[in-house]
Amino acid sequence: MPKRHVVVVGAGIGGLTAAVALHRRGWHVTVCERAPEPPTTGAGIGLAPNALRALDAIGVDAARAAGSSVPVTMGLRRSDGRWLTRAATADMAARYGMPPIAVPRPAFTAALAAALPPEALLYGTAVTGVDDAMSRPTVRTAVGPDLPADLVVAADGIRSPLRRMCFPDHPGLHYIGETAWRTIVDAPDLRIPAMSETWGRGERFGVTPLADGRLYLYATAVVPAGTSSADSRAELRHRFGSWHDPIPALLDRVHRLDRADVLQNDLYDLAAPLPRLHHGRIVWLGDAAHAMAPNLGQGGCQAIEDAVVLAHLLPHGDSVDRMDSVPAALVAYTAARRDRTDAVRVRARRIGRLGALRNPLAVAARDFTVRATPTHLALRGMDDLFNGFRLPG
């Protein structure tokens, strides 16, 4: 009996996790990625305990794949350096069974890709559409023959063409009012042990030690959509150069990078939840399904959860299935994932509004409230995220 065939559109973290999970469930997997080759540069990604638990369910050890060092502490600071809240990662590990880790995104995607047969990955293959999505989908590409499939996984990103094709009346994306810069630097001499985010007035700066010893830096600012500068390195120094140590020293390292190594993107989330996460035999996950602001560090984590739950609900790739349980599995996937991911999307937007405050009185009230909240209560507030991953049934 031939194996069921799944075509995954997009070789990001969600798409590759789905591909690995379904490959290990016995499916024949094809991944179509429009980029000509795997990424070699990029930002970092934080893997919270919920994502690590989901990866463990499909036999993927993220720490082994991309390094296992973790920061000593995590917390929020003011632009003068004063801590608003801080928690030891050891306390987080005790509460959630494991600490969060942060890894370079290219290294992590490379580790996921290595778990697939080489012939499964088709780079430079843009998907142009899907025919007969309700019955026997056929995936059309710009470069080769059509691909018949039993299932199409739409992991085609925040501006998902397949989402627009199947949900033309959906309002699409919502600009959250901020732009973001991201890069990675080497700074072992600075010996930065903490993962921190600093909140100013309408601006934020984050420092995350990566598992390979480098530092992932990100910053945001409240600006009109489309605002950019000729040199992001100079813009970052202008905005954040007077903030607390070690930010100025880190910006010196940023200034030594090539301009192309500092990424800038306006931040968007989905304006409203999709009516469902599937249409016929197309199923959405990750940013394509529920694009969210990065304020909780859950975008990639929720994509990983999506992929693992989807594979868990689908039948084995080479099982005999007279009634064909794939459509029912997709209904169950929507039921399992839609409410959870939308709640995270809404929560991330609300947290972002706090970080983006500019009025001095509102900023002072925000900072006071954060400082007055005991650490154990702040951690408890993350329980539904970090302990929220469950395999249905």
Side-chain angles (χ1 to χ4, degrees):
M1 179 179 175
K3 290 185 176 182
R4 290 182 175 89
H5 182 210
V6 59
V7 175
V8 179
V9 185
I13 286 172
L16 287 174
T17 303
V20 171
L22 287 168
H23 171 63
R24 294 180 175 179
R25 288 277 288 167
W27 285 65
H28 172 53
V29 175
T30 301
V31 181
C32 296
E33 168 55 50
R34 69 170 56 245
E37 59 188 13
T40 57
T41 60
I45 178 171
L47 298 175
N50 54 304
L52 295 173
R53 201 168 287 116
L55 290 167
D56 185 63
I58 60 170
V60 173
D61 186 339
R64 184 176 183 180
S68 58
S69 66
V70 297
V72 177
T73 59
M74 302 174 63
L76 290 174
R77 307 177 80 170
R78 300 193 318 188
S79 59
D80 62 4
R82 185 176 185 181
W83 288 95
L84 297 174
T85 184
R86 181 165 38 171
T89 50
D91 293 339
M92 297 185 68
R95 188 176 188 90
Y96 302 116
M98 60 191 76
I101 64 172
V103 299
R105 191 177 289 260
F108 185 48
T109 54
L112 291 171
L116 295 169
E119 64 273 14
L121 294 159
L122 303 180
Y123 287 96
T125 305
V127 169
T128 58
V130 177
D131 295 331
D132 199 16
M134 303 301 292
S135 178
R136 174 70 174 169
T138 298
V139 177
R140 291 182 280 108
T141 72
V143 297
D146 294 343
L147 300 170
D150 297 283
L151 175 67
V152 179
V153 175
D156 52 344
I158 188 170
R159 300 186 185 277
S160 170
L162 292 180
R163 184 182 68 222
R164 293 197 302 269
M165 179 186 78
C166 295
F167 300 104
D169 296 329
H170 187 273
L173 298 177
H174 158 260
Y175 179 54
I176 66 174
E178 295 176 273
T179 195
W181 298 268
R182 296 172 294 150
T183 193
I184 294 176
V185 298
D186 284 304
D189 54 305
L190 297 182
R191 299 186 178 183
I192 297 174
M195 179 188 298
S196 65
E197 183 170 293
T198 301
W199 285 3
R201 292 171 54 187
E203 296 175 326
R204 288 176 285 170
F205 195 99
V207 181
T208 301
L210 296 177
D212 67 354
R214 295 182 294 167
L215 294 164
Y216 166 45
L217 310 180
Y218 62 91
T220 69
V222 176
V223 296
T227 302
S228 63
S229 60
D231 187 343
S232 292
R233 301 167 304 175
E235 179 71 12
L236 289 171
R237 179 174 281 177
H238 170 72
R239 288 182 176 274
F240 302 101
S242 64
W243 286 26
H244 66 79
D245 291 332
I247 291 175
L250 290 170
L251 292 176
D252 287 342
R253 308 301 168 94
V254 171
H255 210 72
R256 301 173 197 170
L257 300 174
D258 292 337
R259 291 187 185 185
D261 290 332
V262 181
L263 308 177
Q264 182 183 357
N265 302 97
D266 288 345
L267 298 180
Y268 290 84
D269 63 7
L270 211 60
L274 292 178
R276 58 191 179 281
L277 302 185
H278 68 284
H279 174 79
R281 288 175 176 261
I282 305 176
V283 62
W284 282 263
L285 58 75
D287 282 345
H290 44 68
M292 59 185 65
N295 304 305
L296 291 170
Q298 280 288 311
C301 295
Q302 291 302 309
I304 290 167
E305 285 193 18
D306 290 343
V308 173
V309 169
L310 175 64
H312 173 75
L313 290 169
L314 286 165
H316 199 274
D318 56 9
S319 64
V320 176
D321 188 358
R322 293 180 180 177
M323 297 301 294
D324 188 2
S325 57
V326 171
L330 301 186
V331 172
Y333 168 77
T334 284
R337 297 300 301 159
R338 183 177 177 274
D339 288 351
R340 172 164 168 79
T341 54
D342 192 57
V344 179
R345 179 188 66 86
V346 171
R347 184 172 174 181
R349 183 185 289 186
R350 289 173 178 167
I351 291 292
R353 288 171 179 162
L354 287 176
L357 289 173
R358 290 184 288 180
N359 180 280
L361 293 178
V363 168
R366 175 198 68 192
D367 293 352
F368 175 81
T369 301
V370 173
R371 275 185 53 82
T373 303
T375 301
H376 72 279
L377 290 182
L379 277 180
R380 186 185 300 173
M382 304 301 287
D383 285 355
D384 60 330
L385 288 179
F386 295 167
N387 280 336
F389 171 71
R390 297 287 186 278
L391 287 176

